[in-house]
Amino acid sequence: MFLASFRVSADEKEAVLDALLPLLPAGVHENGELLSVFSGVPLSQSVMEAAAGRPLADWTVEEVPADWRARRARLGEGGVIVGGRISIRSPWEPPAAGGLIDIVVERRGGAFGSGSHPTTQMCLALLLDVEVCGGAVDLGCGVGTLAIAAAKLGWSPVVGVDRVPVAIEVARENVARNGVAVDCAVVDLAADPVPLAPLLLVNAPPPVHARVAEAMTDEVRHVIVSGIVAEEVEAVLAGYHAVGFDAAAALGTEDEWIALRLSC
Ligand SMILES: C[S@@+](CC[C@H](N)C(=O)[O-])C[C@H]1O[C@@H](n2cnc3c(N)ncnc32)[C@H](O)[C@@H]1O
């Protein structure tokens, strides 16, 4: 077994994964900007760069143990564990031990949300602290990770919407894979009515937050906000403040991604 590793910038990662994933049935392990690929034969840098349509920085290939446990030890934790309670992993990774809530998500076609992005992880960490009080909507659900987590934590009914059809297609597969009840639909939150619930999960760009804030009613009790960087927080929060919501908790990363829990 061989392990090829290379770096891509955050800006290029989606495009590189779109190009390479169809060639790599065993998947790609993401760790920030470092991407790692297992294969039975040593992958050629020039072939992979041609497929990706760009140079792949810091390319290395090494022979690794065939046994997944030994490989996992080499890469560190296979999936992502959030708050010591939730494990997010791809279908080709073995379940995490220890009674964690096990969320299995596949991504493809550029759909967002393998669980590796810090905004997804921060939203999950904030979600763990919200007492269940009814239904939840994941606005900009990508492949459904947050909606699936909400359903597994007891929120009901749960809805996930995204404007990208392939994201909704994959989200539906992930919902079935996780054995939860989540209704997924293609909705453009720039134009269509915004579905509401006591809990809104909004890991999406600022224009979506503006639209959600405008649509808020008394039904909404909590909003988990992410998909924004530090310099966008003030403007995004102003929209929610205007309808009576204040930040109750905040998380951030070194590269400036922010997540907030708002309550009224
Ligand atoms: C940062 S990703 C978050 C995905 C997922 N909720 C997660 O946390 O892993 C933002 C998502 O918002 C979706 N999105 C952006 N603008 C949208 C819009 N106007 N209507 C619906 N979805 C939108 C994108 O397609 C993308 O899937």
Side-chain angles (χ1 to χ4, degrees):
M1 179 68 69
F2 294 86
L3 173 65
S5 298
F6 50 93
R7 281 186 192 282
V8 290
S9 67
D11 289 347
E12 289 188 312
K13 191 154 88 172
E14 293 295 327
V16 169
L17 286 172
D18 281 353
L20 297 187
L21 279 172
L23 308 175
L24 301 168
V28 176
H29 184 103
E30 298 177 45
N31 183 3
E33 294 189 346
L34 181 69
L35 300 184
S36 304
V37 179
F38 290 108
S39 67
V41 293
L43 292 171
S44 152
Q45 180 175 2
S46 56
V47 169
M48 297 296 280
E49 287 182 334
R54 70 203 77 210
L56 300 173
D58 299 340
W59 177 275
T60 60
V61 179
E62 59 181 319
E63 193 159 3
V64 294
D67 180 76
W68 68 260
R69 294 172 197 83
R71 292 203 305 272
R72 187 165 172 170
R74 179 180 287 251
L75 277 175
E77 188 56 56
V80 175
I81 294 178
V82 178
R85 286 180 59 197
I86 292 183
S87 156
I88 315 164
R89 64 182 173 94
S90 59
W92 54 84
E93 285 170 327
L100 298 172
I101 297 169
D102 188 29
I103 297 178
V104 185
V105 284
E106 187 186 5
R107 55 166 296 172
R108 65 168 189 272
F112 186 103
S114 62
S116 61
H117 198 271
T119 58
T120 308
Q121 294 172 22
M122 291 190 295
C123 288
L124 288 170
L126 293 169
L127 172 63
L128 285 172
D129 286 336
V130 186
E131 198 175 322
V132 174
C133 61
V137 185
D138 184 352
L139 295 161
C141 65
V143 299
T145 310
L146 300 180
I148 291 165
K152 289 205 169 186
L153 286 165
W155 295 86
S156 177
V158 179
V159 170
V161 301
D162 203 288
R163 71 177 167 190
V164 178
V166 72
I168 292 303
E169 187 185 311
V170 180
R172 286 185 177 133
E173 291 169 14
N174 284 331
V175 164
R177 178 176 277 126
N178 284 276
V180 289
V182 177
D183 192 10
C184 299
V186 176
V187 169
D188 182 357
L189 294 164
D192 297 331
V194 178
L196 298 174
L199 171 67
L200 304 182
L201 298 151
V202 198
N203 182 10
V208 171
H209 289 288
R211 190 91 205 301
V212 172
E214 278 170 22
M216 300 266 275
T217 66
D218 291 350
E219 183 187 3
V220 182
R221 304 280 308 282
H222 307 282
V223 189
I224 291 180
V225 167
S226 196
I228 57 174
V229 292
E231 67 193 26
E232 295 165 335
V233 168
E234 196 177 334
V236 167
L237 264 184
Y240 289 110
H241 279 153
V243 289
F245 280 74
D246 285 315
L251 296 172
T253 64
E254 279 176 14
D255 56 357
E256 302 233 313
W257 289 109
I258 301 291
L260 304 161
R261 176 164 57 80
L262 312 181
S263 296
C264 59

